[in-house]
Each structure stands twice: as C-alpha cells, then as structure tokens.
Amino acid sequence: MCTTCGCEPESRHHHHDHGHHHHRGEEKEARRIAVETDILSRNNRFAADNRALFAQKGIFVLNLVSSPGSGKTTTLERSLKDLAGKYRCAVIEGDQQTDNDARRIAATGVPVKQINTGAGCHLDAHMVGHAAEGFDLDALDLLLVENVGNLVCPASFDLGEHHKVVLLSVTEGEDKPLKYPQMFHAADVMLLNKVDLLPYVDFDVEKCKEMARRVSPGIDIFEISSRTGQGMDAWYGWLAGRIAAVKGGA
C-alpha cells in the first residue's frame, strides 16, 4: 500500500452506530492528510539535499517513470550503449522485486545500484540519496533513475532530479496522459516508444501528443524506438544540451 494514497483496508464488519460514523470518518481523513503531508515534507527535505549534492558535483539527473512494459530498461540499455565514451553514466534501478533489470544495465558496463521497494510502489528521495552514496559522484556526468513501473505514486515524489521523463509506448493507448494527468504534468519530457510498431497497432500519435500537451503544455516529446534506434538521436541531442548546461553551472 502506498502511504501517499491514504487507502486503508475496509473493515469486513458493518457497524450500526451511525451516529458516530461520520465523526470517525472525519478524524480518519484528518489523520490521513497529516500523515501524507508529513511524508511528502520529509521526502522534500531529502530531495533538496540530493539536488544540492548533484549540483555541487555537476551531475545531470533524470527520473524515468512509466507503466510496466513501456520499455524503460530497453531505452536505458540503448542510450547507455550509444552514449558510451561520451558521458560518464550511472543508473539507480527501482523495482519491487528481483534485480533482473539491474543485471541488464550492468551488462552495458555502467555502474548500477538496485533498490527493491518490496510492496512500495515508488522510489523516494532518501532511497535515491542512499544509493547515490555508492557511486563515485566526482566521476559522473549523468545519473539515470529508473523508477518503479507505476504512473500514479512516483508523480508525487521529488527525488532531487532535474527532470522527470515519462515513457509511453504505442501499445498502451493514446489517452494515458488524460488518465494519469498528474504524472504527465510532472514530466518535462515524454518519450513515445515502440513507434516501429505503429503499422500494427491502433494508435493516433498526434492525438496522444495533443493530450500530453493539454496537461503539460511545455512538454518535450520524442518519438523513438529503443529497439531499432529510430528517433534516438533527437533524444541524445536533448540530453547533450542539458548535460552541458549543468556542467557549465557546476
């Protein structure tokens, strides 16, 4: 259960003392709001610490978010291989269970740290800060955080990153930005992945881009295929500009 959702298991028993039901409900809601506020406030303090550290070291940091199966890990693999020799990279991998994705990233030769969240549905700033301690931060240009596959909870948690990058694949449906507006609003970049499959799926690219810009007017959108490499150069160009800007300000 995500602590920010406020969802609590419903009682299996029906209570008949209706006179006090609404009062208890209000108290429960007040507690939920207080807990959520405290959790996010604590997270934001850790995020500010992370951001200050990354700025001091001149590291550009991205938080990659998506639903499961959109191609985050494959996009990371392709990017890391194509950018090898250009930038010093590291990856923090977030998953509820297994280190499968971390082993895939490690095979590219890039340093990687795994975070298993168990029942948790997102990474938080404290987890990321702790994982980052395992890297030689003076030897990094780019830190990529692959968040847990989830289009809801990661939207609320600042990790100290420069930008959230949301991946959406053409196999998922073009209305995802409207179904999950908080995530797309929080993201500065959308990678529309698996465009090599467009001839085989019912997906309206322009409609999807319009929906994404409806909830995030300034969002940068790149149409890519991490499998074939289509469109990846535009994505790398965006990265190059941002990394240079961070290095210039370090």
Side-chain angles (χ1 to χ4, degrees):
M1 182 189 77
C2 175
T3 50
T4 65
C5 297
C7 52
E8 295 183 16
E10 292 292 330
S11 171
R12 295 177 181 273
H13 304 288
H14 181 71
H15 297 283
H16 294 279
D17 51 343
H18 297 291
H20 300 285
H21 177 76
H22 294 294
H23 182 62
R24 286 203 307 273
E26 290 166 2
E27 288 181 345
K28 182 185 289 186
E29 177 69 8
R31 287 198 304 272
R32 184 193 69 80
I33 292 171
V35 169
E36 179 174 339
T37 301
D38 183 60
I39 289 169
L40 290 177
S41 176
R42 180 175 181 270
N43 179 80
N44 289 340
R45 290 195 296 273
F46 283 116
D49 291 342
N50 291 349
R51 185 168 283 109
L53 176 62
F54 298 146
Q56 176 192 347
K57 300 295 184 179
I59 303 171
F60 184 57
V61 185
L62 294 178
N63 178 6
L64 276 67
V65 294
S66 78
S67 56
S70 64
K72 286 195 305 300
T73 308
T74 303
T75 300
L76 271 178
E77 285 178 307
R78 180 100 194 193
S79 299
L80 293 169
K81 289 174 183 175
D82 289 349
L83 297 174
K86 295 181 181 178
Y87 303 111
R88 301 167 299 173
C89 304
V91 173
I92 294 175
E93 272 291 341
D95 281 300
Q96 290 188 319
Q97 301 290 340
T98 83
D99 62 352
N100 295 345
D101 291 346
R103 286 190 280 111
R104 286 171 58 184
I105 297 301
T108 69
V110 169
V112 59
K113 298 295 179 185
Q114 175 74 46
I115 300 174
N116 285 126
T117 62
C121 53
H122 58 85
L123 297 178
D124 63 33
H126 183 259
M127 296 174 186
V128 167
H130 188 62
E133 292 173 357
F135 298 123
D136 179 1
L137 298 180
D138 292 313
L140 289 185
D141 303 309
L142 175 62
L143 176 61
L144 298 160
V145 181
E146 181 175 353
N147 218 312
V148 178
N150 183 342
L151 278 177
V152 181
C153 304
S156 300
F157 283 80
D158 181 4
L159 305 181
E161 74 272 18
H162 289 87
H163 303 284
K164 284 183 175 67
V165 177
V166 61
L167 274 81
L168 172 64
S169 69
V170 302
T171 57
E172 296 177 72
E174 64 266 356
D175 60 347
K176 277 289 196 297
L178 297 187
K179 285 187 173 182
Y180 302 94
Q182 187 179 3
M183 178 60 80
F184 285 83
H185 180 72
D188 297 306
V189 178
M190 182 175 87
L191 299 181
L192 183 58
N193 193 23
K194 305 185 184 181
V195 293
D196 54 306
L197 298 179
L198 281 171
Y200 313 106
V201 296
D202 183 15
F203 187 93
D204 188 328
V205 171
E206 293 308 313
K207 188 175 180 181
C208 178
K209 290 160 69 172
E210 185 273 326
M211 289 179 178
R213 291 188 172 117
R214 200 185 303 175
V215 296
S216 183
I219 196 168
D220 288 312
I221 301 174
F222 299 97
E223 299 173 35
I224 67 166
S225 168
S226 53
R227 188 178 69 86
T228 68
Q230 180 181 342
M232 295 295 282
D233 284 344
W235 160 237
Y236 300 153
W238 182 90
L239 277 175
R242 297 309 190 279
I243 293 170
V246 168
K247 286 294 179 186

